[in-house]
Amino acid sequence: MPQTSPPLSTLLPPLVCGTATFNSQYNLDPYALRTTDIVHRALSLGIRAFDTSPYYGPAEELLGQALDTPFVHDNFPRHDYFLLTKIGRISGKAFDYSPAWIRLSVQKSLERLKTDYLDLVYCHDVEFVSSGEVLTAVAELRRIRDQTGKIKYVGISGYPVDVLCELAEMILQETGEPLDAAMSYANFTLQNTKLSSEGVPRLKAAGVNVVPNASPLGMGLLRRDGVPVGGQGDFHPADNGLRAAIRKASDFCDRHGEKLEVVAIRFALETWMDKGSSVGSMGDPASGNPWKRETIEDIGGIKLGVSVMGVSYVEELDKTMRVWRSILDGREDGKSTALRAGRQGSDHEWSLHRQADIQDLASDIRSIIGTWLDFTWASPEPGFVNTRYIPAPLPTPAASPKQELLKSSVEEEYEVGQTALVKWHV
């Protein structure tokens, strides 16, 4: 089966900084976050990939502003980092997978991110539209890739693992070309490991090159303080019964001197690194060598499962990176990795002990979660109706509407719902 060359798996870093947190869904005021500091710190720590979406409120704008700075221009050429974004989701209830909207969405993402090309573009939350719409969207993204070079790789993203598998299989059958990536979220966590048990075998068989695991905390469910409540209130779809089970698991962690989110992050990152390796990547692993572009060859030469981790504060990022590097220290060649990065050889042994402790805690936590293990919420909810705007044929240049009118007509067609309407500044 033909694949994009070079394969995405040879280039994409195994740790991706997610920017869904740069949004009022997770925070009261995303503009008040130190997003530029987060992005600069991430680059300084070796992170070389950022995942975003027009649906994430101002996330693309904030990420683009952070990258369009002297610090980045002077130290990190564009080819040194990856930008991953999405098309198709407009608001909580509006999706548009039409070629006309895809072209506009890609162009606006390029402008907001202040870049000439996008490394990977996903069809966003594919379970909300028909398989035919997804096929049309993938074809259009590939056309843009082949004819303009503004897109390098094409994938799909969504929540239900079975839907991702069915679409990946369908796309391969219908086009003869497999997807470069299929990203799922909240499906490889302490509570739910369906991405590994059900997703990886089918996605790999469908030729999908990379399968990133996003939201290892289950969109904030696996936290001592419960789900995050931002400017849009309690958005999380988890049932009350599942929330109650997670609270019991958190109480268990408290009694053992641990925090649920600490155990959950390490479990997901560390376990997916192996479970997702067959659909993983070999890009810069961010092992801690300062100001050095690395490859997987520097830490053993084996593909690592790709994780997408979002943070809201620099301090959260620093903690995440300490965990990530400790996990790398515990791998087969981990002692050499630690020494090259200026850490201690004994960090290898400490990491192995911590790995065993986390696995023991995870086993107990999963027993407490009980019947809620591998439970998934409905996506979309029953009765969902897509209120998408279906654009009319594009006018001739002489009849093109004024920019202000085009902006108004597009925005008014989309229902805001419970999530902020993306402001398309066209």
Side-chain angles (χ1 to χ4, degrees), residues 197-212:
S197 60
E198 301 178 11
V200 168
R202 290 181 63 183
L203 292 169
K204 185 179 179 182
V208 177
N209 192 232
V210 178
V211 180

Side-chain angles (χ1 to χ4, degrees), residues 132-207:
E133 288 172 290
V134 175
L135 186 61
T136 297
V138 168
E140 179 62 18
L141 290 172
R142 288 175 173 172
R143 186 198 64 78
I144 296 171
R145 176 197 66 188
D146 296 340
Q147 295 184 10
T148 73
K150 293 180 179 180
I151 295 172
K152 304 301 181 183
Y153 298 94
V154 175
I156 61 174
S157 73
Y159 178 62
V161 171
D162 58 338
V163 174
L164 291 175
C165 293
E166 290 166 5
L167 288 172
E169 293 160 353
M170 180 271 293
I171 289 166
L172 176 61
Q173 180 178 356
E174 294 294 327
T175 70
E177 179 183 348
L179 290 164
D180 297 308
M183 180 172 68
S184 185
Y185 63 92
N187 274 310
F188 193 87
T189 70
L190 261 178
Q191 178 264 328
N192 171 17
T193 57
K194 282 189 173 183
L195 188 56
S196 171
S197 60
E198 301 178 11
V200 168
R202 290 181 63 183
L203 292 169
K204 185 179 179 182

Side-chain angles (χ1 to χ4, degrees), residues 80-127:
D80 268 3
Y81 58 87
F82 285 71
L83 292 178
L84 294 64
T85 192
K86 307 173 185 72
I87 56 90
R89 183 155 200 176
I90 311 304
S91 71
K93 296 182 179 181
F95 292 77
D96 193 336
Y97 274 50
S98 67
W101 182 260
I102 289 171
R103 291 191 292 272
L104 178 60
S105 182
V106 168
Q107 184 57 40
K108 300 317 294 182
S109 289
L110 289 167
E111 293 173 9
R112 282 189 289 266
L113 292 167
K114 304 181 189 304
T115 183
D116 295 328
Y117 67 93
L118 303 167
D119 294 283
L120 171 59
V121 177
Y122 294 106
C123 299
H124 199 171
D125 289 341
V126 289
E127 67 267 28

Side-chain angles (χ1 to χ4, degrees), residues 39-40 43 66-77 81:
V39 173
H40 289 183
L43 289 166
L67 294 171
D68 189 28
T69 54
F71 172 75
V72 176
H73 294 318
D74 292 345
N75 295 289
F76 305 98
Y81 58 87

